Amino acid sequence: MLAYLADPERMAEYDEVFIGAGELPTLRAALAALPPGKQPTKRWDFLCKIAMTELRLGQTEAAVAGFKEACDLHPQLAGKMDPEALRKARFHLALSWLRLGENANCVARHTSESCLVPIGPKGVHLEQQGSSEALRVLLALLAEDPQDLPSRWLLNLAAMTVGEYPQAVPKAHLIPPAAFSSDESFPRFVDVAPELGLNSMTLSGGVIVDDFDGDDVLDIVASESLPTGQLLYFKGHRDGTFTDRTEAAGLTGIVGGLNAIQTDYDNDGFLDIHVPRGAWLFERGRIHPSLLHNDGDGTFTDVTFAAGLAEENYPTQAVAWADYDNDGDLDLYVANESSPRIAAPSQLFRNDGDGTFTDVAKAAGVLNNRYAKGVAFGDYDGDRFPDLYVSNLELNRLYRNQGDGTFADVAEALGVVKPERSFPTWFFDYDNDGVLDIYVATFLPRLGPYVLDLLGGESNAEFACLYKGDGRGGFREVAKEVGLDEITVTMGANFGDLDNDGYLDFYLNTGFPDYEALIPSKMYWNRGGKKFADVTTAGGFGHLQKGHGVAFADLDRDGDQDVFAEMGGAFPGDAFGNALFRNPGFGNHWVTVKLVGVRSNRPGIGARIRCEITENGVKRSVYKHVNSGGSFGANPLRQMIGLGKATGIGVLEVYWPTSDLTQTFRDVPVDAAFEITEGEAELRRIE
């Protein structure tokens, strides 16, 4: 596998789709061959193509110079070229100046407030040339077209970076400060990734937080989409620090994956890693994944070929593990990106129990044959068999598990096919009624509709969908009534319980590949299962850089969940450091439950945990289903459950669907971690 991953042809294919560096010598030679002062149209075209490629490669100064030279030709081109093409060149000049400012400040002089909207005093650029020049270009564009929403948005951001927002922004172009206000007050989280050595400068990728070496301390694994981007493994320590163990773990050379997820496919008690590959690359995306077996001694071995997972591969980033046939081991669903350019049926790999897998997707009826971007398992109808939701860049599917090895697509019948362009998705019980709900985020790779929505205007863009389960196998779409009717441009996402009140909050990491996609990520605070409050600004979560994998986990072992966000774009010049937002604490209680399956799969994926508590004299239940959270970013499989002000757990109940066993424990203390083994009568406390 290492030789395969190191093949330079893979980088060449990625370059052809995302960068275009291979054309640079030809373009430069063609430009040099033009007679001086002649053929301005061709000269402009070559300059713009070269500058765009240089911008993508991170040769930002050269990109600025190239776009500036192209724009200097505009007086000669007036009336000879499409005016919108000429405007676009000026817009890209502004973007190049902005990126130059980001590199000199947000990257080279990074602070905990860098790139957080609205940008405060500690995030203001010290080197201001980039933003100042961008302001000049953007103001000129807006003077010609005041309805240019992307330029208006970037103008306001540029003003923030030089400390001149809102006072220096012309009233006609101002995005008012009220547009950034949070719905409610919320404690400020601080990005501590730099001080912990976790802010690796990477491109887009995924993240897993879990215990990979069995010491009951959470570790971090982060991937990167660039074909040469190294999978990183940070070992966690009890004092809250981390050590890079990538090389020692035998992971050197495991490169190039937009997402990653953990599992224990062989039930040996050590968590393995799956890295899917090929996303967005169409016919060039037929790249082998990696199944990394945890050897239990601190090292991993790539067993992809031996496991039978490299025989037929398609472009994907979306995978999920569950025991769909309830035979006690975990199976793998790979949701592939089928398009007019490549027929890419999705795959359901049944675990054969001997370390190998067999693709049974066709027989099971889950080929999908759509452009899949997210996938999640959950037993929405309570029949013990996990069902499957597939989020597509077209209508979505909900495959109901029929319990006989086959599935039926019931999405249209149950009204859960939208949004029509969606990305990450998950099952969770957001209102603690014991029934699984489905969240599906939108993906709209355009800046204009987002800005229009921010200003209170209306567009035809879709909102995300929240499908509330009714307990009878049906759903009702409730996004608007719970306050989620906003345009989001979501890539990575996950959920957790920031304030330990027992209700699940979620974070959307936003963006799209273009440099203009400087869109703040969003945090939604669950208010008792009745509504969600946007607390992005108050909590300090509005990161502007391209956001991908997200994980909620107690990484400093202080009893509350922190948020790890994998940052960075698709182009080599758009790398950025990852963020770790440290939770300041809310004073509520919690319990952590680590399951050990015996008849069921070892990590207990698919099991349901219920905590019955009494809070302020009122009895209620908190439910948690065991999974890794959203479909782009992976939480720990051990479940941290918020208990609010409850000082004890009256009943802690675990339901194991494979064995149809319910275990009940009474009078369990709070603020502690426990291991529960399937069928055993005693809790084991984890210190």
mmCIF file with all atom_site columns, all heavy atoms in Angstrom, residues 596-614:
data_model
loop_
_atom_site.group_PDB
_atom_site.id
_atom_site.type_symbol
_atom_site.label_atom_id
_atom_site.label_alt_id
_atom_site.label_comp_id
_atom_site.label_asym_id
_atom_site.label_entity_id
_atom_site.label_seq_id
_atom_site.pdbx_PDB_ins_code
_atom_site.Cartn_x
_atom_site.Cartn_y
_atom_site.Cartn_z
_atom_site.occupancy
_atom_site.B_iso_or_equiv
_atom_site.pdbx_formal_charge
_atom_site.auth_seq_id
_atom_site.auth_comp_id
_atom_site.auth_asym_id
_atom_site.auth_atom_id
_atom_site.pdbx_PDB_model_num
ATOM 1   N N   . VAL A 1 596 ? -18.497 -2.399  26.299 1.00 0.00 ? 596 VAL A N   1
ATOM 2   C CA  . VAL A 1 596 ? -17.702 -3.525  25.814 1.00 0.00 ? 596 VAL A CA  1
ATOM 3   C C   . VAL A 1 596 ? -18.671 -4.634  25.421 1.00 0.00 ? 596 VAL A C   1
ATOM 4   O O   . VAL A 1 596 ? -19.281 -5.282  26.282 1.00 0.00 ? 596 VAL A O   1
ATOM 5   C CB  . VAL A 1 596 ? -16.711 -4.032  26.877 1.00 0.00 ? 596 VAL A CB  1
ATOM 6   C CG1 . VAL A 1 596 ? -15.921 -5.226  26.323 1.00 0.00 ? 596 VAL A CG1 1
ATOM 7   C CG2 . VAL A 1 596 ? -15.775 -2.929  27.333 1.00 0.00 ? 596 VAL A CG2 1
ATOM 8   N N   . GLY A 1 597 ? -18.836 -4.822  24.119 1.00 0.00 ? 597 GLY A N   1
ATOM 9   C CA  . GLY A 1 597 ? -19.742 -5.855  23.652 1.00 0.00 ? 597 GLY A CA  1
ATOM 10  C C   . GLY A 1 597 ? -19.145 -7.245  23.775 1.00 0.00 ? 597 GLY A C   1
ATOM 11  O O   . GLY A 1 597 ? -17.930 -7.426  23.684 1.00 0.00 ? 597 GLY A O   1
ATOM 12  N N   . VAL A 1 598 ? -20.011 -8.219  23.982 1.00 0.00 ? 598 VAL A N   1
ATOM 13  C CA  . VAL A 1 598 ? -19.611 -9.626  24.035 1.00 0.00 ? 598 VAL A CA  1
ATOM 14  C C   . VAL A 1 598 ? -20.297 -10.368 22.881 1.00 0.00 ? 598 VAL A C   1
ATOM 15  O O   . VAL A 1 598 ? -19.642 -10.816 21.945 1.00 0.00 ? 598 VAL A O   1
ATOM 16  C CB  . VAL A 1 598 ? -19.959 -10.256 25.390 1.00 0.00 ? 598 VAL A CB  1
ATOM 17  C CG1 . VAL A 1 598 ? -19.577 -11.740 25.405 1.00 0.00 ? 598 VAL A CG1 1
ATOM 18  C CG2 . VAL A 1 598 ? -19.240 -9.525  26.520 1.00 0.00 ? 598 VAL A CG2 1
ATOM 19  N N   . ARG A 1 599 ? -21.609 -10.475 22.937 1.00 0.00 ? 599 ARG A N   1
ATOM 20  C CA  . ARG A 1 599 ? -22.344 -10.973 21.770 1.00 0.00 ? 599 ARG A CA  1
ATOM 21  C C   . ARG A 1 599 ? -22.441 -9.891  20.701 1.00 0.00 ? 599 ARG A C   1
ATOM 22  O O   . ARG A 1 599 ? -22.478 -10.183 19.518 1.00 0.00 ? 599 ARG A O   1
ATOM 23  C CB  . ARG A 1 599 ? -23.750 -11.425 22.169 1.00 0.00 ? 599 ARG A CB  1
ATOM 24  C CG  . ARG A 1 599 ? -23.794 -12.754 22.921 1.00 0.00 ? 599 ARG A CG  1
ATOM 25  C CD  . ARG A 1 599 ? -25.231 -13.167 23.188 1.00 0.00 ? 599 ARG A CD  1
ATOM 26  N NE  . ARG A 1 599 ? -26.018 -13.284 21.955 1.00 0.00 ? 599 ARG A NE  1
ATOM 27  C CZ  . ARG A 1 599 ? -27.345 -13.386 21.919 1.00 0.00 ? 599 ARG A CZ  1
ATOM 28  N NH1 . ARG A 1 599 ? -28.028 -13.374 23.052 1.00 0.00 ? 599 ARG A NH1 1
ATOM 29  N NH2 . ARG A 1 599 ? -27.978 -13.494 20.773 1.00 0.00 ? 599 ARG A NH2 1
ATOM 30  N N   . SER A 1 600 ? -22.496 -8.651  21.138 1.00 0.00 ? 600 SER A N   1
ATOM 31  C CA  . SER A 1 600 ? -22.557 -7.511  20.215 1.00 0.00 ? 600 SER A CA  1
ATOM 32  C C   . SER A 1 600 ? -21.155 -7.110  19.789 1.00 0.00 ? 600 SER A C   1
ATOM 33  O O   . SER A 1 600 ? -20.158 -7.619  20.311 1.00 0.00 ? 600 SER A O   1
ATOM 34  C CB  . SER A 1 600 ? -23.236 -6.330  20.907 1.00 0.00 ? 600 SER A CB  1
ATOM 35  O OG  . SER A 1 600 ? -24.508 -6.685  21.401 1.00 0.00 ? 600 SER A OG  1
ATOM 36  N N   . ASN A 1 601 ? -21.069 -6.188  18.835 1.00 0.00 ? 601 ASN A N   1
ATOM 37  C CA  . ASN A 1 601 ? -19.756 -5.691  18.437 1.00 0.00 ? 601 ASN A CA  1
ATOM 38  C C   . ASN A 1 601 ? -19.063 -5.053  19.635 1.00 0.00 ? 601 ASN A C   1
ATOM 39  O O   . ASN A 1 601 ? -19.699 -4.472  20.506 1.00 0.00 ? 601 ASN A O   1
ATOM 40  C CB  . ASN A 1 601 ? -19.886 -4.720  17.260 1.00 0.00 ? 601 ASN A CB  1
ATOM 41  C CG  . ASN A 1 601 ? -20.607 -3.433  17.619 1.00 0.00 ? 601 ASN A CG  1
ATOM 42  O OD1 . ASN A 1 601 ? -20.005 -2.481  18.136 1.00 0.00 ? 601 ASN A OD1 1
ATOM 43  N ND2 . ASN A 1 601 ? -21.917 -3.375  17.356 1.00 0.00 ? 601 ASN A ND2 1
ATOM 44  N N   . ARG A 1 602 ? -17.752 -5.175  19.687 1.00 0.00 ? 602 ARG A N   1
ATOM 45  C CA  . ARG A 1 602 ? -16.987 -4.827  20.888 1.00 0.00 ? 602 ARG A CA  1
ATOM 46  C C   . ARG A 1 602 ? -17.202 -3.375  21.364 1.00 0.00 ? 602 ARG A C   1
ATOM 47  O O   . ARG A 1 602 ? -17.408 -3.145  22.555 1.00 0.00 ? 602 ARG A O   1
ATOM 48  C CB  . ARG A 1 602 ? -15.499 -5.104  20.621 1.00 0.00 ? 602 ARG A CB  1
ATOM 49  C CG  . ARG A 1 602 ? -14.579 -4.865  21.804 1.00 0.00 ? 602 ARG A CG  1
ATOM 50  C CD  . ARG A 1 602 ? -14.780 -5.873  22.928 1.00 0.00 ? 602 ARG A CD  1
ATOM 51  N NE  . ARG A 1 602 ? -13.852 -5.655  24.017 1.00 0.00 ? 602 ARG A NE  1
ATOM 52  C CZ  . ARG A 1 602 ? -12.735 -6.358  24.233 1.00 0.00 ? 602 ARG A CZ  1
ATOM 53  N NH1 . ARG A 1 602 ? -12.419 -7.343  23.391 1.00 0.00 ? 602 ARG A NH1 1
ATOM 54  N NH2 . ARG A 1 602 ? -11.944 -6.095  25.246 1.00 0.00 ? 602 ARG A NH2 1
ATOM 55  N N   . PRO A 1 603 ? -17.183 -2.353  20.473 1.00 0.00 ? 603 PRO A N   1
ATOM 56  C CA  . PRO A 1 603 ? -17.368 -0.985  20.978 1.00 0.00 ? 603 PRO A CA  1
ATOM 57  C C   . PRO A 1 603 ? -18.819 -0.595  21.223 1.00 0.00 ? 603 PRO A C   1
ATOM 58  O O   . PRO A 1 603 ? -19.092 0.524   21.668 1.00 0.00 ? 603 PRO A O   1
ATOM 59  C CB  . PRO A 1 603 ? -16.750 -0.115  19.876 1.00 0.00 ? 603 PRO A CB  1
ATOM 60  C CG  . PRO A 1 603 ? -16.850 -0.927  18.651 1.00 0.00 ? 603 PRO A CG  1
ATOM 61  C CD  . PRO A 1 603 ? -16.758 -2.357  19.064 1.00 0.00 ? 603 PRO A CD  1
ATOM 62  N N   . GLY A 1 604 ? -19.762 -1.508  20.943 1.00 0.00 ? 604 GLY A N   1
ATOM 63  C CA  . GLY A 1 604 ? -21.164 -1.230  21.250 1.00 0.00 ? 604 GLY A CA  1
ATOM 64  C C   . GLY A 1 604 ? -21.841 -0.275  20.283 1.00 0.00 ? 604 GLY A C   1
ATOM 65  O O   . GLY A 1 604 ? -22.862 0.336   20.642 1.00 0.00 ? 604 GLY A O   1
ATOM 66  N N   . ILE A 1 605 ? -21.330 -0.124  19.075 1.00 0.00 ? 605 ILE A N   1
ATOM 67  C CA  . ILE A 1 605 ? -21.969 0.763   18.098 1.00 0.00 ? 605 ILE A CA  1
ATOM 68  C C   . ILE A 1 605 ? -23.397 0.280   17.844 1.00 0.00 ? 605 ILE A C   1
ATOM 69  O O   . ILE A 1 605 ? -23.641 -0.884  17.565 1.00 0.00 ? 605 ILE A O   1
ATOM 70  C CB  . ILE A 1 605 ? -21.159 0.793   16.793 1.00 0.00 ? 605 ILE A CB  1
ATOM 71  C CG1 . ILE A 1 605 ? -19.821 1.505   17.024 1.00 0.00 ? 605 ILE A CG1 1
ATOM 72  C CG2 . ILE A 1 605 ? -21.937 1.467   15.674 1.00 0.00 ? 605 ILE A CG2 1
ATOM 73  C CD1 . ILE A 1 605 ? -18.897 1.498   15.831 1.00 0.00 ? 605 ILE A CD1 1
ATOM 74  N N   . GLY A 1 606 ? -24.335 1.216   17.963 1.00 0.00 ? 606 GLY A N   1
ATOM 75  C CA  . GLY A 1 606 ? -25.748 0.898   17.793 1.00 0.00 ? 606 GLY A CA  1
ATOM 76  C C   . GLY A 1 606 ? -26.498 0.708   19.094 1.00 0.00 ? 606 GLY A C   1
ATOM 77  O O   . GLY A 1 606 ? -27.738 0.695   19.105 1.00 0.00 ? 606 GLY A O   1
ATOM 78  N N   . ALA A 1 607 ? -25.774 0.566   20.213 1.00 0.00 ? 607 ALA A N   1
ATOM 79  C CA  . ALA A 1 607 ? -26.447 0.412   21.504 1.00 0.00 ? 607 ALA A CA  1
ATOM 80  C C   . ALA A 1 607 ? -27.056 1.748   21.940 1.00 0.00 ? 607 ALA A C   1
ATOM 81  O O   . ALA A 1 607 ? -26.637 2.819   21.503 1.00 0.00 ? 607 ALA A O   1
ATOM 82  C CB  . ALA A 1 607 ? -25.465 -0.087  22.551 1.00 0.00 ? 607 ALA A CB  1
ATOM 83  N N   . ARG A 1 608 ? -28.048 1.656   22.854 1.00 0.00 ? 608 ARG A N   1
ATOM 84  C CA  . ARG A 1 608 ? -28.700 2.866   23.361 1.00 0.00 ? 608 ARG A CA  1
ATOM 85  C C   . ARG A 1 608 ? -28.498 2.952   24.867 1.00 0.00 ? 608 ARG A C   1
ATOM 86  O O   . ARG A 1 608 ? -28.669 1.963   25.595 1.00 0.00 ? 608 ARG A O   1
ATOM 87  C CB  . ARG A 1 608 ? -30.192 2.845   23.062 1.00 0.00 ? 608 ARG A CB  1
ATOM 88  C CG  . ARG A 1 608 ? -30.913 4.149   23.425 1.00 0.00 ? 608 ARG A CG  1
ATOM 89  C CD  . ARG A 1 608 ? -32.420 4.003   23.351 1.00 0.00 ? 608 ARG A CD  1
ATOM 90  N NE  . ARG A 1 608 ? -32.922 3.166   24.439 1.00 0.00 ? 608 ARG A NE  1
ATOM 91  C CZ  . ARG A 1 608 ? -34.197 2.820   24.594 1.00 0.00 ? 608 ARG A CZ  1
ATOM 92  N NH1 . ARG A 1 608 ? -35.089 3.226   23.702 1.00 0.00 ? 608 ARG A NH1 1
ATOM 93  N NH2 . ARG A 1 608 ? -34.585 2.060   25.601 1.00 0.00 ? 608 ARG A NH2 1
ATOM 94  N N   . ILE A 1 609 ? -28.123 4.151   25.322 1.00 0.00 ? 609 ILE A N   1
ATOM 95  C CA  . ILE A 1 609 ? -27.920 4.402   26.748 1.00 0.00 ? 609 ILE A CA  1
ATOM 96  C C   . ILE A 1 609 ? -28.999 5.377   27.213 1.00 0.00 ? 609 ILE A C   1
ATOM 97  O O   . ILE A 1 609 ? -29.268 6.382   26.547 1.00 0.00 ? 609 ILE A O   1
ATOM 98  C CB  . ILE A 1 609 ? -26.518 5.003   27.005 1.00 0.00 ? 609 ILE A CB  1
ATOM 99  C CG1 . ILE A 1 609 ? -25.428 4.073   26.461 1.00 0.00 ? 609 ILE A CG1 1
ATOM 100 C CG2 . ILE A 1 609 ? -26.306 5.262   28.488 1.00 0.00 ? 609 ILE A CG2 1
ATOM 101 C CD1 . ILE A 1 609 ? -24.051 4.710   26.419 1.00 0.00 ? 609 ILE A CD1 1
ATOM 102 N N   . ARG A 1 610 ? -29.599 5.071   28.360 1.00 0.00 ? 610 ARG A N   1
ATOM 103 C CA  . ARG A 1 610 ? -30.591 5.979   28.952 1.00 0.00 ? 610 ARG A CA  1
ATOM 104 C C   . ARG A 1 610 ? -30.210 6.260   30.398 1.00 0.00 ? 610 ARG A C   1
ATOM 105 O O   . ARG A 1 610 ? -29.938 5.334   31.168 1.00 0.00 ? 610 ARG A O   1
ATOM 106 C CB  . ARG A 1 610 ? -31.990 5.377   28.913 1.00 0.00 ? 610 ARG A CB  1
ATOM 107 C CG  . ARG A 1 610 ? -33.076 6.311   29.495 1.00 0.00 ? 610 ARG A CG  1
ATOM 108 C CD  . ARG A 1 610 ? -34.450 5.697   29.372 1.00 0.00 ? 610 ARG A CD  1
ATOM 109 N NE  . ARG A 1 610 ? -34.657 4.637   30.339 1.00 0.00 ? 610 ARG A NE  1
ATOM 110 C CZ  . ARG A 1 610 ? -35.174 4.811   31.568 1.00 0.00 ? 610 ARG A CZ  1
ATOM 111 N NH1 . ARG A 1 610 ? -35.524 6.025   31.986 1.00 0.00 ? 610 ARG A NH1 1
ATOM 112 N NH2 . ARG A 1 610 ? -35.341 3.772   32.376 1.00 0.00 ? 610 ARG A NH2 1
ATOM 113 N N   . CYS A 1 611 ? -30.146 7.541   30.732 1.00 0.00 ? 611 CYS A N   1
ATOM 114 C CA  . CYS A 1 611 ? -29.905 7.955   32.112 1.00 0.00 ? 611 CYS A CA  1
ATOM 115 C C   . CYS A 1 611 ? -31.168 8.611   32.644 1.00 0.00 ? 611 CYS A C   1
ATOM 116 O O   . CYS A 1 611 ? -31.615 9.635   32.111 1.00 0.00 ? 611 CYS A O   1
ATOM 117 C CB  . CYS A 1 611 ? -28.739 8.946   32.191 1.00 0.00 ? 611 CYS A CB  1
ATOM 118 S SG  . CYS A 1 611 ? -27.143 8.247   31.759 1.00 0.00 ? 611 CYS A SG  1
ATOM 119 N N   . GLU A 1 612 ? -31.736 8.021   33.684 1.00 0.00 ? 612 GLU A N   1
ATOM 120 C CA  . GLU A 1 612 ? -32.907 8.615   34.329 1.00 0.00 ? 612 GLU A CA  1
ATOM 121 C C   . GLU A 1 612 ? -32.423 9.442   35.508 1.00 0.00 ? 612 GLU A C   1
ATOM 122 O O   . GLU A 1 612 ? -31.757 8.925   36.408 1.00 0.00 ? 612 GLU A O   1
ATOM 123 C CB  . GLU A 1 612 ? -33.864 7.525   34.794 1.00 0.00 ? 612 GLU A CB  1
ATOM 124 C CG  . GLU A 1 612 ? -35.161 8.042   35.382 1.00 0.00 ? 612 GLU A CG  1
ATOM 125 C CD  . GLU A 1 612 ? -36.068 6.901   35.821 1.00 0.00 ? 612 GLU A CD  1
ATOM 126 O OE1 . GLU A 1 612 ? -36.604 6.203   34.935 1.00 0.00 ? 612 GLU A OE1 1
ATOM 127 O OE2 . GLU A 1 612 ? -36.212 6.697   37.053 1.00 0.00 ? 612 GLU A OE2 1
ATOM 128 N N   . ILE A 1 613 ? -32.732 10.727  35.473 1.00 0.00 ? 613 ILE A N   1
ATOM 129 C CA  . ILE A 1 613 ? -32.222 11.642  36.486 1.00 0.00 ? 613 ILE A CA  1
ATOM 130 C C   . ILE A 1 613 ? -33.355 12.485  37.056 1.00 0.00 ? 613 ILE A C   1
ATOM 131 O O   . ILE A 1 613 ? -34.438 12.575  36.469 1.00 0.00 ? 613 ILE A O   1
ATOM 132 C CB  . ILE A 1 613 ? -31.142 12.586  35.918 1.00 0.00 ? 613 ILE A CB  1
ATOM 133 C CG1 . ILE A 1 613 ? -31.707 13.423  34.764 1.00 0.00 ? 613 ILE A CG1 1
ATOM 134 C CG2 . ILE A 1 613 ? -29.927 11.792  35.455 1.00 0.00 ? 613 ILE A CG2 1
ATOM 135 C CD1 . ILE A 1 613 ? -30.766 14.472  34.205 1.00 0.00 ? 613 ILE A CD1 1
ATOM 136 N N   . THR A 1 614 ? -33.100 13.078  38.218 1.00 0.00 ? 614 THR A N   1
ATOM 137 C CA  . THR A 1 614 ? -34.018 14.058  38.798 1.00 0.00 ? 614 THR A CA  1
ATOM 138 C C   . THR A 1 614 ? -33.255 15.364  38.930 1.00 0.00 ? 614 THR A C   1
ATOM 139 O O   . THR A 1 614 ? -32.217 15.432  39.588 1.00 0.00 ? 614 THR A O   1
ATOM 140 C CB  . THR A 1 614 ? -34.532 13.610  40.169 1.00 0.00 ? 614 THR A CB  1
ATOM 141 O OG1 . THR A 1 614 ? -35.223 12.359  40.020 1.00 0.00 ? 614 THR A OG1 1
ATOM 142 C CG2 . THR A 1 614 ? -35.471 14.654  40.765 1.00 0.00 ? 614 THR A CG2 1
#
